[in-house]
Amino acid sequence: MTDTALPTPPDIVRAAYGELVVTDLAASREFYVDILGLTVTAEDDDTVYLRSLEEFIHHNLVLRKGPVAALAALAFRVRSRQDVDRAEAYYQALGCRTERRADGWTRGVRDAVRVTDPLGFPYEFFHEVDHVERLAWRYDLHTPGALVRLDHFNQVTPDVPEGLAYLEALGFRTTEDIRDDEGVTYAAWLRRKPTVHDTALTGGDGPRLHHIAFATHEKHNVIAICDKLGALRRSGAIERGPGRHGVSNAFYLYLRDPDGHRVEIYTQDYYTGDPDNPLVTWDVHDNQRRDWWGNAVVPSWYTDASAVLDLDGNPQPVTARTEVREMDVTVGADGFSYARVDGTERGFKVGGQL
Amino acid sequence: MTDTALPTPPDIVRAAYGELVVTDLAASREFYVDILGLTVTAEDDDTVYLRSLEEFIHHNLVLRKGPVAALAALAFRVRSRQDVDRAEAYYQALGCRTERRADGWTRGVRDAVRVTDPLGFPYEFFHEVDHVERLAWRYDLHTPGALVRLDHFNQVTPDVPEGLAYLEALGFRTTEDIRDDEGVTYAAWLRRKPTVHDTALTGGDGPRLHHIAFATHEKHNVIAICDKLGALRRSGAIERGPGRHGVSNAFYLYLRDPDGHRVEIYTQDYYTGDPDNPLVTWDVHDNQRRDWWGNAVVPSWYTDASAVLDLDGNPQPVTARTEVREMDVTVGADGFSYARVDGTERGFKVGGQL
Amino acid sequence: MTDTALPTPPDIVRAAYGELVVTDLAASREFYVDILGLTVTAEDDDTVYLRSLEEFIHHNLVLRKGPVAALAALAFRVRSRQDVDRAEAYYQALGCRTERRADGWTRGVRDAVRVTDPLGFPYEFFHEVDHVERLAWRYDLHTPGALVRLDHFNQVTPDVPEGLAYLEALGFRTTEDIRDDEGVTYAAWLRRKPTVHDTALTGGDGPRLHHIAFATHEKHNVIAICDKLGALRRSGAIERGPGRHGVSNAFYLYLRDPDGHRVEIYTQDYYTGDPDNPLVTWDVHDNQRRDWWGNAVVPSWYTDASAVLDLDGNPQPVTARTEVREMDVTVGADGFSYARVDGTERGFKVGGQL
Amino acid sequence: MTDTALPTPPDIVRAAYGELVVTDLAASREFYVDILGLTVTAEDDDTVYLRSLEEFIHHNLVLRKGPVAALAALAFRVRSRQDVDRAEAYYQALGCRTERRADGWTRGVRDAVRVTDPLGFPYEFFHEVDHVERLAWRYDLHTPGALVRLDHFNQVTPDVPEGLAYLEALGFRTTEDIRDDEGVTYAAWLRRKPTVHDTALTGGDGPRLHHIAFATHEKHNVIAICDKLGALRRSGAIERGPGRHGVSNAFYLYLRDPDGHRVEIYTQDYYTGDPDNPLVTWDVHDNQRRDWWGNAVVPSWYTDASAVLDLDGNPQPVTARTEVREMDVTVGADGFSYARVDGTERGFKVGGQL
């Protein structure tokens, strides 16, 4: 990855949209539109194009009907048309399969290249895109749980350091990570725009999609989504949270959509745009790293993730993580997290065990 | 309890203060003052008198140093001096032990009677009390997690219907309860002031104190307390939540103080003051009853509670609940809560189990 | 008013609903339903019955089509059926006109009496009322500016002390007032339920209705209403605020409906239910009394108010206030408010004058 | 400015800190530290170095004691050491006075160049700076009005188009502006980091500093500052707001410090980092442009601003704006803002005039 012979990477601006294959388009539309309040930019029988309230490009999320629930693409916006060329050349130099479509891969997006990246993920790079109304000032359309931006992606990959090397060479900067004293890296967060991340790498069997995250403005917006799910007797969609992350310092909530795709609602991380922004490293045994309040991470959050597709639409094979898993060292009898109660390390937070 | 020959009960205005025996007064003072931000009205070597920001009476919480952590009293304010007489006469007619102190049981409170009530709890009734500055407008003293009122008590008692009959005869009105189809009542909420409760009865081995609750104005105030505990590496004090209650519709958080006494932070229940305020009954199998988002109730929340003292300061013996326990019918292999996911009842919320 | 020969007054529970005559029912419905989000319990060609989200009685606001915008009634709920009798007898003893309707004055309300009270206001007293669904848990129906309760009324009357004597004899308690050193009372707040008020008296030409107030849970709910009005290019409906009251300590916003009726959005005053709740008196020259931040009170807020009807539906004649007016002593060249800047009294807050 | 012969401009990362000369250092420290809660990184007899809670560089604000209240510098962080060289060369090519200090102009900052820019403002460019603890996770130190970032500067200059040309050549991008149909530009907002601005140009007599702005996370944080000022009887420091901006869509508050320097508290504008981020142009006659709710802009907000110093510490002479002024076309008899009430344009928002 550090081969200086690689061509100049594309100048990535930000995480722009995800394309999810869903098995029941009506159910997914209900979830993302009627419940979460995303705005429909366009739709047809097979596809729904959605955006958040402060977005001015055509979409942040594409729901496409298909036989198997999976991630079809994680799309990044690049700074110029030439950066699409650079992306194509870069991945070809990496030996990756690429497919350029001058008319775009999704409606509203123009010239774009999709690649199967070295980690097995379907990345897209595009610049040209249709502009639509930014609904920031349209408070008549806002809901109590108003989603205002796509914030980031989170990808499951077996070898986090390998993934880090690849993404840093591509131009990402690492803002935070989780490690242990033996040199294992469990997860890392990387950014282009000056937030904590545009994407993150979570160690596990991969390639799989861990989640796509949308931002709200205030914490009560996140709570409002939970309250609404309760009112609709859909609280089963709440997988974890709401809570305060240690990593990123953001307030969070994890939901599972009707296909099990995970969606995070996220607010209030911090500015990271300075070139010497300090890396924050968390000890995997710090039980406040993933929840600042020490609340338990539910096992499914560690184990479940969405399949990802290759450029032909076939699910990628999954490679098992060979290094120790975060869940194994933090949950259960053989590992432990330390909860500092009166200076005494304890296996678990008080109260959680029978 | 329904004996019409009983004298007129006292006119109870509201839950006013709790007195807790704590084993390490400095540690408790740090918890309630430095962390939770309660205001010290007065203190001496053995006792700290605390109040919330909108209170105008001398205290809402007394911390008294003692050998064994326990509840010394739950004190209710009554409408007039004569209502203290009425309380004394009422409990004597009930055959309860009473002890009247013209100079009050705690500093700042005058003529008061304490009783060991039919459920074994130490109740106090008082009217005369010193007024202190109401700090409602003193925003220079407010913290991010500002506690503004004592809201309610919650008591553990083996036989909830028996407790309900006693408290309703005393003048309380039931606002909500949790039952099953076989006629078991697991818990009930009762009020004098027009909120959901001044006290609640939780079925379990008792008499024991389940918790004392303070109110904040907004949900972010509750979250701020969690964030601060995390910053102080005291997240182990967070037992359950934050979350949205089904019962009461309030936003909640349960903490455990250094002695294990449970404190709830609570906001935004609803007005209940009309005489025909509708009773809300929850099915014990509804997994949104105690957390509207279906998040799990940690076992310790069901099992742990504080000892209560008799009028001589000795811990009351605890009587086991003989009816089925809420935890047993909602957690674990023999019982289940229903999480409605796609119309299918499931034993647990998705994701929580390995 | 202190005549001990008066019969027992009715036991008033709370301010329950207002009936407004509006000149364009469709425009008013749009304002209260589409913009403010009140729920339609029932409606017909001439009338719309609205309630707030936590209400369980039939309505909190009745909009009735009529030729002249006016207040038709301020309705209080009383504790029992017998209290309707007591109300009727009480006002007859006061020499007021009363009209009892066994079938109620508005749909959903049963036996009720309306009176023209000594101040010239149309008061209604009722107990029996249809119950409807309390939408507290129906977060799927909540909007960003969710109105949860009717909180209070505010009435303009020339002689505030006279009005206070009448309302205190009726069973109200005064919680706050605005006075000066010369013995003038400019306004007073009175409560039955334990909030700062169920109604208030504002000194001015009267009888006129100053406003009806609805409560929200959090300050951002109030702000959301402003933001939505801006989005709809209806910001002209915002008359004053949002701001923090000195009196009541509540966060507030004043709107004007399409007929000019004033509506307050209100949140977070304090508990006042103790019998010795301290009266808070504000100096009329304290420029933080009506806005804690010292922001100016717009003149229309002082001058404008709605006509009130007699029991035949005719507008009541208005009597001019003879005592000095609050606006005259606080705004303009002849009077002043003191803004404490560096200990120096200044005529106005910095910045507001050319 | 559009001379293509100019050298490469420095790569500016963001607005980093302001240096204010204050006449009473103790009074200023009380305002910024005790009231606003900024953190003291360092201080001596003449100078206080302050930072916000999420900052990791040495300071965001320097208060320096001096004889006349003024702005000493607006400092921008640049991407690399070489960019300091580029800044020096760029301004020398512009014919501006520059002064390079290898040891920095303020404590904690290293090699830096200050310039008197073409508009007469003292700009500083630096890269090397001491890192300090980022207090983002230190919730034990946060206050209800927690300021988390320096957000932007706002400068008063007579000729806005001239200033725009200069700043765009320097690498800034315009995000929003206020114009009229006759081609007058009244104000413009420009950014480097992807928020609405790092600085703005306000048309008026200049060079003068309009304000420095700090960001909070939520709207209630802004309100908490107002409430605290009220409690301290310092409400006179509140000049305008709180309110919602039209421009930027942010929630705002303007304060005046003890010397009259204006400080904005600001939250929740939107992401602007895409290269084709749409410019938002507001009509100067749109009365929601500066306050989305149509609330009046107080005259002092238009007229008052701080003197700025040259590199010798002498106040810069002020040049009068020759084009029409925003206040003149929007306030008073000769101009008007349109408030859309029922489709009718009105001179002012309802209620504001006697």
mmCIF file with all atom_site columns, all heavy atoms in Angstrom, chain A residues 165-181:
data_model
loop_
_atom_site.group_PDB
_atom_site.id
_atom_site.type_symbol
_atom_site.label_atom_id
_atom_site.label_alt_id
_atom_site.label_comp_id
_atom_site.label_asym_id
_atom_site.label_entity_id
_atom_site.label_seq_id
_atom_site.pdbx_PDB_ins_code
_atom_site.Cartn_x
_atom_site.Cartn_y
_atom_site.Cartn_z
_atom_site.occupancy
_atom_site.B_iso_or_equiv
_atom_site.pdbx_formal_charge
_atom_site.auth_seq_id
_atom_site.auth_comp_id
_atom_site.auth_asym_id
_atom_site.auth_atom_id
_atom_site.pdbx_PDB_model_num
ATOM 1   N N   . ALA A 1 165 ? -3.959  0.715  6.394  1.00 0.00 ? 165 ALA A N   1
ATOM 2   C CA  . ALA A 1 165 ? -2.878  1.076  5.475  1.00 0.00 ? 165 ALA A CA  1
ATOM 3   C C   . ALA A 1 165 ? -3.458  1.440  4.108  1.00 0.00 ? 165 ALA A C   1
ATOM 4   O O   . ALA A 1 165 ? -3.052  2.431  3.477  1.00 0.00 ? 165 ALA A O   1
ATOM 5   C CB  . ALA A 1 165 ? -1.886  -0.070 5.358  1.00 0.00 ? 165 ALA A CB  1
ATOM 6   N N   . TYR A 1 166 ? -4.419  0.649  3.669  1.00 0.00 ? 166 TYR A N   1
ATOM 7   C CA  . TYR A 1 166 ? -5.066  0.899  2.375  1.00 0.00 ? 166 TYR A CA  1
ATOM 8   C C   . TYR A 1 166 ? -5.792  2.247  2.381  1.00 0.00 ? 166 TYR A C   1
ATOM 9   O O   . TYR A 1 166 ? -5.628  3.084  1.467  1.00 0.00 ? 166 TYR A O   1
ATOM 10  C CB  . TYR A 1 166 ? -6.005  -0.260 2.052  1.00 0.00 ? 166 TYR A CB  1
ATOM 11  C CG  . TYR A 1 166 ? -7.203  0.079  1.228  1.00 0.00 ? 166 TYR A CG  1
ATOM 12  C CD1 . TYR A 1 166 ? -7.089  0.640  -0.057 1.00 0.00 ? 166 TYR A CD1 1
ATOM 13  C CD2 . TYR A 1 166 ? -8.484  -0.173 1.723  1.00 0.00 ? 166 TYR A CD2 1
ATOM 14  C CE1 . TYR A 1 166 ? -8.232  0.939  -0.806 1.00 0.00 ? 166 TYR A CE1 1
ATOM 15  C CE2 . TYR A 1 166 ? -9.607  0.124  0.982  1.00 0.00 ? 166 TYR A CE2 1
ATOM 16  C CZ  . TYR A 1 166 ? -9.483  0.692  -0.275 1.00 0.00 ? 166 TYR A CZ  1
ATOM 17  O OH  . TYR A 1 166 ? -10.599 0.996  -1.006 1.00 0.00 ? 166 TYR A OH  1
ATOM 18  N N   . LEU A 1 167 ? -6.586  2.521  3.417  1.00 0.00 ? 167 LEU A N   1
ATOM 19  C CA  . LEU A 1 167 ? -7.387  3.739  3.430  1.00 0.00 ? 167 LEU A CA  1
ATOM 20  C C   . LEU A 1 167 ? -6.539  4.982  3.669  1.00 0.00 ? 167 LEU A C   1
ATOM 21  O O   . LEU A 1 167 ? -6.829  6.057  3.134  1.00 0.00 ? 167 LEU A O   1
ATOM 22  C CB  . LEU A 1 167 ? -8.495  3.630  4.485  1.00 0.00 ? 167 LEU A CB  1
ATOM 23  C CG  . LEU A 1 167 ? -9.626  2.666  4.102  1.00 0.00 ? 167 LEU A CG  1
ATOM 24  C CD1 . LEU A 1 167 ? -10.593 2.488  5.279  1.00 0.00 ? 167 LEU A CD1 1
ATOM 25  C CD2 . LEU A 1 167 ? -10.394 3.159  2.864  1.00 0.00 ? 167 LEU A CD2 1
ATOM 26  N N   . GLU A 1 168 ? -5.494  4.849  4.458  1.00 0.00 ? 168 GLU A N   1
ATOM 27  C CA  . GLU A 1 168 ? -4.611  6.013  4.653  1.00 0.00 ? 168 GLU A CA  1
ATOM 28  C C   . GLU A 1 168 ? -3.878  6.363  3.362  1.00 0.00 ? 168 GLU A C   1
ATOM 29  O O   . GLU A 1 168 ? -3.702  7.543  3.039  1.00 0.00 ? 168 GLU A O   1
ATOM 30  C CB  . GLU A 1 168 ? -3.650  5.770  5.813  1.00 0.00 ? 168 GLU A CB  1
ATOM 31  C CG  . GLU A 1 168 ? -4.390  5.774  7.160  1.00 0.00 ? 168 GLU A CG  1
ATOM 32  C CD  . GLU A 1 168 ? -3.468  5.688  8.367  1.00 0.00 ? 168 GLU A CD  1
ATOM 33  O OE1 . GLU A 1 168 ? -2.284  5.327  8.191  1.00 0.00 ? 168 GLU A OE1 1
ATOM 34  O OE2 . GLU A 1 168 ? -3.935  5.975  9.481  1.00 0.00 ? 168 GLU A OE2 1
ATOM 35  N N   . ALA A 1 169 ? -3.472  5.344  2.622  1.00 0.00 ? 169 ALA A N   1
ATOM 36  C CA  . ALA A 1 169 ? -2.844  5.607  1.327  1.00 0.00 ? 169 ALA A CA  1
ATOM 37  C C   . ALA A 1 169 ? -3.833  6.277  0.370  1.00 0.00 ? 169 ALA A C   1
ATOM 38  O O   . ALA A 1 169 ? -3.453  7.106  -0.467 1.00 0.00 ? 169 ALA A O   1
ATOM 39  C CB  . ALA A 1 169 ? -2.319  4.303  0.724  1.00 0.00 ? 169 ALA A CB  1
ATOM 40  N N   . LEU A 1 170 ? -5.098  5.932  0.543  1.00 0.00 ? 170 LEU A N   1
ATOM 41  C CA  . LEU A 1 170 ? -6.145  6.528  -0.300 1.00 0.00 ? 170 LEU A CA  1
ATOM 42  C C   . LEU A 1 170 ? -6.439  7.973  0.121  1.00 0.00 ? 170 LEU A C   1
ATOM 43  O O   . LEU A 1 170 ? -7.139  8.694  -0.585 1.00 0.00 ? 170 LEU A O   1
ATOM 44  C CB  . LEU A 1 170 ? -7.413  5.664  -0.193 1.00 0.00 ? 170 LEU A CB  1
ATOM 45  C CG  . LEU A 1 170 ? -8.606  5.972  -1.085 1.00 0.00 ? 170 LEU A CG  1
ATOM 46  C CD1 . LEU A 1 170 ? -8.237  5.896  -2.573 1.00 0.00 ? 170 LEU A CD1 1
ATOM 47  C CD2 . LEU A 1 170 ? -9.763  5.015  -0.778 1.00 0.00 ? 170 LEU A CD2 1
ATOM 48  N N   . GLY A 1 171 ? -5.901  8.389  1.257  1.00 0.00 ? 171 GLY A N   1
ATOM 49  C CA  . GLY A 1 171 ? -6.062  9.773  1.660  1.00 0.00 ? 171 GLY A CA  1
ATOM 50  C C   . GLY A 1 171 ? -6.859  9.975  2.933  1.00 0.00 ? 171 GLY A C   1
ATOM 51  O O   . GLY A 1 171 ? -7.069  11.116 3.360  1.00 0.00 ? 171 GLY A O   1
ATOM 52  N N   . PHE A 1 172 ? -7.317  8.892  3.538  1.00 0.00 ? 172 PHE A N   1
ATOM 53  C CA  . PHE A 1 172 ? -8.045  9.031  4.803  1.00 0.00 ? 172 PHE A CA  1
ATOM 54  C C   . PHE A 1 172 ? -7.060  9.256  5.947  1.00 0.00 ? 172 PHE A C   1
ATOM 55  O O   . PHE A 1 172 ? -5.902  8.832  5.885  1.00 0.00 ? 172 PHE A O   1
ATOM 56  C CB  . PHE A 1 172 ? -8.873  7.768  5.082  1.00 0.00 ? 172 PHE A CB  1
ATOM 57  C CG  . PHE A 1 172 ? -10.108 7.656  4.232  1.00 0.00 ? 172 PHE A CG  1
ATOM 58  C CD1 . PHE A 1 172 ? -10.050 7.089  2.955  1.00 0.00 ? 172 PHE A CD1 1
ATOM 59  C CD2 . PHE A 1 172 ? -11.329 8.122  4.697  1.00 0.00 ? 172 PHE A CD2 1
ATOM 60  C CE1 . PHE A 1 172 ? -11.188 6.991  2.169  1.00 0.00 ? 172 PHE A CE1 1
ATOM 61  C CE2 . PHE A 1 172 ? -12.467 8.016  3.918  1.00 0.00 ? 172 PHE A CE2 1
ATOM 62  C CZ  . PHE A 1 172 ? -12.403 7.457  2.650  1.00 0.00 ? 172 PHE A CZ  1
ATOM 63  N N   . ARG A 1 173 ? -7.535  9.908  7.002  1.00 0.00 ? 173 ARG A N   1
ATOM 64  C CA  . ARG A 1 173 ? -6.750  10.090 8.220  1.00 0.00 ? 173 ARG A CA  1
ATOM 65  C C   . ARG A 1 173 ? -7.451  9.386  9.369  1.00 0.00 ? 173 ARG A C   1
ATOM 66  O O   . ARG A 1 173 ? -8.671  9.494  9.515  1.00 0.00 ? 173 ARG A O   1
ATOM 67  C CB  . ARG A 1 173 ? -6.631  11.574 8.565  1.00 0.00 ? 173 ARG A CB  1
ATOM 68  C CG  . ARG A 1 173 ? -5.786  12.357 7.592  1.00 0.00 ? 173 ARG A CG  1
ATOM 69  C CD  . ARG A 1 173 ? -5.870  13.850 7.887  1.00 0.00 ? 173 ARG A CD  1
ATOM 70  N NE  . ARG A 1 173 ? -5.013  14.581 6.978  1.00 0.00 ? 173 ARG A NE  1
ATOM 71  C CZ  . ARG A 1 173 ? -3.702  14.750 7.153  1.00 0.00 ? 173 ARG A CZ  1
ATOM 72  N NH1 . ARG A 1 173 ? -3.105  14.238 8.222  1.00 0.00 ? 173 ARG A NH1 1
ATOM 73  N NH2 . ARG A 1 173 ? -2.991  15.428 6.274  1.00 0.00 ? 173 ARG A NH2 1
ATOM 74  N N   . THR A 1 174 ? -6.677  8.728  10.187 1.00 0.00 ? 174 THR A N   1
ATOM 75  C CA  . THR A 1 174 ? -7.245  8.029  11.330 1.00 0.00 ? 174 THR A CA  1
ATOM 76  C C   . THR A 1 174 ? -7.439  9.009  12.482 1.00 0.00 ? 174 THR A C   1
ATOM 77  O O   . THR A 1 174 ? -6.529  9.765  12.820 1.00 0.00 ? 174 THR A O   1
ATOM 78  C CB  . THR A 1 174 ? -6.319  6.887  11.772 1.00 0.00 ? 174 THR A CB  1
ATOM 79  O OG1 . THR A 1 174 ? -6.061  6.060  10.634 1.00 0.00 ? 174 THR A OG1 1
ATOM 80  C CG2 . THR A 1 174 ? -6.958  6.064  12.880 1.00 0.00 ? 174 THR A CG2 1
ATOM 81  N N   . THR A 1 175 ? -8.630  8.986  13.068 1.00 0.00 ? 175 THR A N   1
ATOM 82  C CA  . THR A 1 175 ? -8.923  9.900  14.178 1.00 0.00 ? 175 THR A CA  1
ATOM 83  C C   . THR A 1 175 ? -8.938  9.181  15.534 1.00 0.00 ? 175 THR A C   1
ATOM 84  O O   . THR A 1 175 ? -8.528  9.742  16.533 1.00 0.00 ? 175 THR A O   1
ATOM 85  C CB  . THR A 1 175 ? -10.278 10.589 13.966 1.00 0.00 ? 175 THR A CB  1
ATOM 86  O OG1 . THR A 1 175 ? -11.278 9.580  13.784 1.00 0.00 ? 175 THR A OG1 1
ATOM 87  C CG2 . THR A 1 175 ? -10.247 11.504 12.741 1.00 0.00 ? 175 THR A CG2 1
ATOM 88  N N   . GLU A 1 176 ? -9.448  7.949  15.540 1.00 0.00 ? 176 GLU A N   1
ATOM 89  C CA  . GLU A 1 176 ? -9.500  7.200  16.798 1.00 0.00 ? 176 GLU A CA  1
ATOM 90  C C   . GLU A 1 176 ? -9.324  5.717  16.478 1.00 0.00 ? 176 GLU A C   1
ATOM 91  O O   . GLU A 1 176 ? -9.541  5.279  15.339 1.00 0.00 ? 176 GLU A O   1
ATOM 92  C CB  . GLU A 1 176 ? -10.843 7.415  17.528 1.00 0.00 ? 176 GLU A CB  1
ATOM 93  C CG  . GLU A 1 176 ? -11.164 8.896  17.773 1.00 0.00 ? 176 GLU A CG  1
ATOM 94  C CD  . GLU A 1 176 ? -12.158 9.126  18.906 1.00 0.00 ? 176 GLU A CD  1
ATOM 95  O OE1 . GLU A 1 176 ? -12.328 8.237  19.766 1.00 0.00 ? 176 GLU A OE1 1
ATOM 96  O OE2 . GLU A 1 176 ? -12.760 10.213 18.926 1.00 0.00 ? 176 GLU A OE2 1
ATOM 97  N N   . ASP A 1 177 ? -8.893  4.945  17.485 1.00 0.00 ? 177 ASP A N   1
ATOM 98  C CA  . ASP A 1 177 ? -8.848  3.490  17.309 1.00 0.00 ? 177 ASP A CA  1
ATOM 99  C C   . ASP A 1 177 ? -8.978  2.788  18.650 1.00 0.00 ? 177 ASP A C   1
ATOM 100 O O   . ASP A 1 177 ? -8.906  3.408  19.704 1.00 0.00 ? 177 ASP A O   1
ATOM 101 C CB  . ASP A 1 177 ? -7.598  3.040  16.546 1.00 0.00 ? 177 ASP A CB  1
ATOM 102 C CG  . ASP A 1 177 ? -6.304  3.449  17.205 1.00 0.00 ? 177 ASP A CG  1
ATOM 103 O OD1 . ASP A 1 177 ? -6.303  3.763  18.420 1.00 0.00 ? 177 ASP A OD1 1
ATOM 104 O OD2 . ASP A 1 177 ? -5.271  3.465  16.509 1.00 0.00 ? 177 ASP A OD2 1
ATOM 105 N N   . ILE A 1 178 ? -9.222  1.486  18.580 1.00 0.00 ? 178 ILE A N   1
ATOM 106 C CA  . ILE A 1 178 ? -9.304  0.632  19.772 1.00 0.00 ? 178 ILE A CA  1
ATOM 107 C C   . ILE A 1 178 ? -8.230  -0.430 19.643 1.00 0.00 ? 178 ILE A C   1
ATOM 108 O O   . ILE A 1 178 ? -8.178  -1.145 18.629 1.00 0.00 ? 178 ILE A O   1
ATOM 109 C CB  . ILE A 1 178 ? -10.695 -0.038 19.902 1.00 0.00 ? 178 ILE A CB  1
ATOM 110 C CG1 . ILE A 1 178 ? -11.761 1.031  20.128 1.00 0.00 ? 178 ILE A CG1 1
ATOM 111 C CG2 . ILE A 1 178 ? -10.695 -1.063 21.034 1.00 0.00 ? 178 ILE A CG2 1
ATOM 112 C CD1 . ILE A 1 178 ? -13.180 0.473  20.166 1.00 0.00 ? 178 ILE A CD1 1
ATOM 113 N N   . ARG A 1 179 ? -7.386  -0.537 20.644 1.00 0.00 ? 179 ARG A N   1
ATOM 114 C CA  . ARG A 1 179 ? -6.270  -1.481 20.619 1.00 0.00 ? 179 ARG A CA  1
ATOM 115 C C   . ARG A 1 179 ? -6.152  -2.198 21.958 1.00 0.00 ? 179 ARG A C   1
ATOM 116 O O   . ARG A 1 179 ? -6.884  -1.915 22.900 1.00 0.00 ? 179 ARG A O   1
ATOM 117 C CB  . ARG A 1 179 ? -4.958  -0.729 20.368 1.00 0.00 ? 179 ARG A CB  1
ATOM 118 C CG  . ARG A 1 179 ? -4.919  0.118  19.108 1.00 0.00 ? 179 ARG A CG  1
ATOM 119 C CD  . ARG A 1 179 ? -3.537  0.726  18.899 1.00 0.00 ? 179 ARG A CD  1
ATOM 120 N NE  . ARG A 1 179 ? -3.587  1.873  18.016 1.00 0.00 ? 179 ARG A NE  1
ATOM 121 C CZ  . ARG A 1 179 ? -2.598  2.754  17.849 1.00 0.00 ? 179 ARG A CZ  1
ATOM 122 N NH1 . ARG A 1 179 ? -1.468  2.613  18.544 1.00 0.00 ? 179 ARG A NH1 1
ATOM 123 N NH2 . ARG A 1 179 ? -2.715  3.762  17.030 1.00 0.00 ? 179 ARG A NH2 1
ATOM 124 N N   . ASP A 1 180 ? -5.199  -3.123 22.042 1.00 0.00 ? 180 ASP A N   1
ATOM 125 C CA  . ASP A 1 180 ? -4.851  -3.672 23.342 1.00 0.00 ? 180 ASP A CA  1
ATOM 126 C C   . ASP A 1 180 ? -3.335  -3.623 23.516 1.00 0.00 ? 180 ASP A C   1
ATOM 127 O O   . ASP A 1 180 ? -2.613  -3.152 22.631 1.00 0.00 ? 180 ASP A O   1
ATOM 128 C CB  . ASP A 1 180 ? -5.396  -5.094 23.537 1.00 0.00 ? 180 ASP A CB  1
ATOM 129 C CG  . ASP A 1 180 ? -4.761  -6.110 22.610 1.00 0.00 ? 180 ASP A CG  1
ATOM 130 O OD1 . ASP A 1 180 ? -3.674  -5.851 22.031 1.00 0.00 ? 180 ASP A OD1 1
ATOM 131 O OD2 . ASP A 1 180 ? -5.345  -7.187 22.452 1.00 0.00 ? 180 ASP A OD2 1
ATOM 132 N N   . ASP A 1 181 ? -2.886  -4.063 24.652 1.00 0.00 ? 181 ASP A N   1
ATOM 133 C CA  . ASP A 1 181 ? -1.450  -3.951 24.957 1.00 0.00 ? 181 ASP A CA  1
ATOM 134 C C   . ASP A 1 181 ? -0.607  -4.935 24.158 1.00 0.00 ? 181 ASP A C   1
ATOM 135 O O   . ASP A 1 181 ? 0.618   -4.815 24.114 1.00 0.00 ? 181 ASP A O   1
ATOM 136 C CB  . ASP A 1 181 ? -1.212  -4.190 26.453 1.00 0.00 ? 181 ASP A CB  1
ATOM 137 C CG  . ASP A 1 181 ? -1.738  -3.055 27.290 1.00 0.00 ? 181 ASP A CG  1
ATOM 138 O OD1 . ASP A 1 181 ? -1.974  -1.970 26.729 1.00 0.00 ? 181 ASP A OD1 1
ATOM 139 O OD2 . ASP A 1 181 ? -1.911  -3.258 28.505 1.00 0.00 ? 181 ASP A OD2 1
#
